[in-house]
């Protein structure tokens, strides 16, 4: 976008970027929905007494939990600052997350912008601690996404782990 030489080139780049962004959001939504469905079926089997052996239960829980971490990292990466393609080109008022690097007054990296690894770390720590750790959500949508991720992690880890321990003992 910054290197567009003509108005037509700029419009084409903008259209392409929007199409890719919409496709990424739709695919992320599908993965999220499928993971919720997998959790629902796992919890239904668990509560109905049809959960199977401890090994398969733990593998299913690990798959749901790790997919949860990855998919929410994708959500955070996709929504913050207009998504990866727009990062650095939008005003600071559309920031969804406050990273520690953004609050540093001394030795702050010039033009620092979060990458996928930063959002993966936010997702991982939220899924393990059930709360934000070093990166604070600023917008309502970021807070709601973090709450949903923590809820899925809590259900997956607490209920499935409790049942697996019961089976093992």
């Amino acid at each position: 976008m910054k290197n567009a030489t003509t108005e037509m080139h700029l419009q084409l780049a903008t259209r392409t970027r929007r199409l890719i962004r919409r496709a990424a959001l739709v695919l992320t939504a599908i993965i999220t929905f499928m993971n919720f469905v997998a959790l629902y079926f796992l919890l239904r089997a668990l509560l109905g007494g049809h959960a199977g052996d401890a090994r398969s239960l733990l593998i299913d829980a690990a798959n749901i939990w790790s997919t949860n971490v990855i998919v929410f990292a994708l959500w955070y990466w996709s929504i913050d600052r207009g998504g990866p393609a727009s990062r650095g080109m939008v005003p600071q008022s559309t920031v969804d997350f406050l990273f520690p690097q953004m609050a540093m007054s001394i030795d702050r990296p010039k033009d620092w912008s979060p990458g996928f690894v930063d959002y993966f770390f936010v997702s991982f720590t939220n899924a393990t601690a059930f709360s934000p750790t070093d990166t604070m959500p600023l917008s309502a949508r970021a807070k709601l996404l973090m709450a949903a991720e923590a809820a899925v992690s809590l259900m997956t880890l607490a209920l499935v782990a409790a049942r697996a321990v019961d089976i093992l003992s």
Side-chain angles (χ1 to χ4, degrees):
M1 298 267 279
K2 293 179 183 178
N3 298 329
T5 56
T6 65
E7 183 66 29
M8 189 173 75
H9 187 214
L10 179 64
Q11 288 175 357
L12 180 63
T14 301
R15 243 181 289 136
T16 303
R17 185 178 54 81
R18 283 189 197 137
L19 180 64
I20 291 171
R21 178 169 164 73
R22 286 184 186 133
L25 291 173
V26 167
L27 291 173
T28 304
I30 290 169
I31 296 168
T32 305
F33 176 75
M34 296 301 289
N35 202 45
F36 285 158
V37 169
L39 178 62
Y40 168 78
F41 282 120
L42 181 63
L43 293 176
R44 194 171 115 189
L46 198 135
L47 296 174
H50 310 292
D53 64 342
R55 182 183 206 159
S56 66
L57 185 60
L58 287 174
I59 290 171
D60 289 345
N63 284 335
I64 291 170
W65 186 84
S66 59
T67 301
N68 189 49
V69 170
I70 294 167
V71 79
F72 277 95
L74 287 170
W75 276 119
Y76 303 151
W77 188 48
S78 296
I79 67 160
D80 192 30
R81 295 169 180 82
S86 297
R87 203 157 284 125
M89 294 190 289
V90 297
Q92 286 295 95
S93 62
T94 59
V95 171
D96 291 290
F97 293 96
L98 177 64
F99 287 88
Q101 293 88 338
M102 296 164 60
M104 293 171 57
S105 59
I106 301 172
D107 296 331
R108 180 180 179 181
K110 187 179 179 184
D111 297 330
W112 182 85
S113 181
F116 181 75
V117 171
D118 298 299
Y119 295 103
F120 180 81
F121 180 76
V122 170
S123 182
F124 181 83
T125 57
N126 188 50
T128 54
F130 309 119
S131 65
T133 54
D134 69 338
T135 303
M136 292 293 118
L138 300 177
S139 68
R141 66 182 178 179
K143 292 173 184 179
L144 290 172
L145 279 171
M146 289 187 89
E149 179 187 18
V152 170
S153 290
L154 182 62
M155 283 190 281
T156 303
L157 294 176
L159 295 176
V160 174
R163 177 69 177 137
V165 168
D166 183 48
I167 292 170
L168 289 172
S169 57

